[in-house]
Amino acid sequence: MTAEQEGIVASPALNATMRKATPRDVAAITVLLASALDTDPVVRWLLPDPTQRVTVLHRLLAVDVDHAAETGTVDVTVNLSAVAVWRRYDPNASAWPLGVHHQTTLAGTAARRLRQLTSAVDGYRSWALHHWLSWLAVHPAYRRQGLASELLRRHHAVVDSSGWPAYTVVTTEEVRDLLRRQGYHAALPLALPDGPNLWPLSREARPVRPAASAPA
């Protein structure tokens, strides 16, 4: 997962420039994420060959984003310059999209490392009810405008209304620090086999209490 380097607090007015994505946005979101992830250390470990990286990333991301647009929450800016992809994990719900079939048919020679990556993430992820941040990315031309923080705050309102915690695993210390500023707790890093670290984070449940009724 990747994100912008911010350093600027977003204005609440930015929320007016954001909306939920639809399946028609999947192609543009896939391009945005693939571009942002091209230099990501975990993606380079997963797909060291640059040519293969482009092809496989687009395949995997298109499936993942399409599923999230249908069953989760994908928030975007109106010009598709920034995106946050969320899922609600319910153990009684249908399985998540990237199973063994997708790993072997879409990842090609990267299937073994993708299974290792998935195993590391699943080893941290809670099996109780929670919201999961899958992806967070901002186009380079729009960085330092507070978009990543505002996208997070937008969905945190939904998270808090559900009373569930939020979890994620990120791939850089930069993004880890961004999320810590948004109230996430960073756990010990996870080491990939002969690869870089993953940074697991959690945000505790903050259920919204109903307003007290006025006295009669």
Side-chain angles (χ1 to χ4, degrees):
M1 189 187 78
T2 188
E4 64 178 316
Q5 182 178 354
E6 295 204 343
I8 295 177
V9 177
S11 164
L14 282 174
N15 195 51
T17 69
M18 298 179 181
R19 62 176 175 84
K20 285 191 176 180
T22 70
R24 287 180 294 182
D25 298 317
V26 168
I29 294 170
T30 298
V31 171
L32 171 61
L33 286 173
S35 176
L37 290 168
D38 185 63
T39 58
D40 184 89
V42 171
V43 171
R44 291 200 162 199
W45 166 83
L46 177 68
L47 298 160
D49 179 77
T51 303
Q52 185 190 39
R53 188 182 310 138
V54 172
T55 302
V56 174
L57 264 183
H58 276 79
R59 288 176 182 169
L60 293 174
L61 289 169
V63 171
D64 197 59
V65 173
D66 183 67
H67 184 274
E70 292 281 358
T71 64
T73 300
V74 181
D75 292 324
V76 294
T77 53
V78 292
N79 62 356
L80 294 173
S81 61
V83 61
V85 179
W86 291 87
R87 285 198 175 79
R88 295 176 298 278
Y89 179 75
D90 183 339
N92 297 318
S94 58
W96 284 25
L98 292 181
V100 174
H101 172 72
H102 290 111
Q103 290 175 350
T104 54
T105 59
L106 299 181
T109 58
R112 181 179 63 85
R113 284 193 168 180
L114 183 57
R115 284 192 293 268
Q116 292 173 332
L117 175 59
T118 302
S119 177
V121 172
D122 285 347
Y124 166 75
R125 180 162 53 86
S126 171
W127 294 98
L129 300 172
H130 67 271
H131 290 246
W132 181 268
L133 175 61
S134 296
W135 305 105
L136 178 66
V138 178
H139 188 280
Y142 292 86
R143 290 179 179 173
R144 303 192 66 81
Q145 294 185 23
L147 298 179
S149 291
E150 191 59 34
L151 283 168
L152 289 169
R153 281 191 284 269
R154 175 184 171 92
H155 193 73
H156 286 162
V158 177
V159 173
D160 293 341
S161 68
S162 72
W164 294 6
Y167 290 86
T168 190
V169 172
V170 302
T171 56
T172 68
E173 295 180 56
E174 176 188 349
V175 184
R176 178 203 62 188
D177 293 343
L178 167 66
L179 290 170
R180 289 175 67 180
R181 294 195 294 272
Q182 292 291 322
Y184 284 76
H185 170 73
L188 293 175
L190 308 172
L192 291 168
D194 300 318
N197 286 334
L198 298 169
W199 305 94
L201 298 108
S202 61
R203 181 180 182 272
E204 64 183 9
R206 302 176 185 183
V208 176
R209 294 182 175 86
S213 57

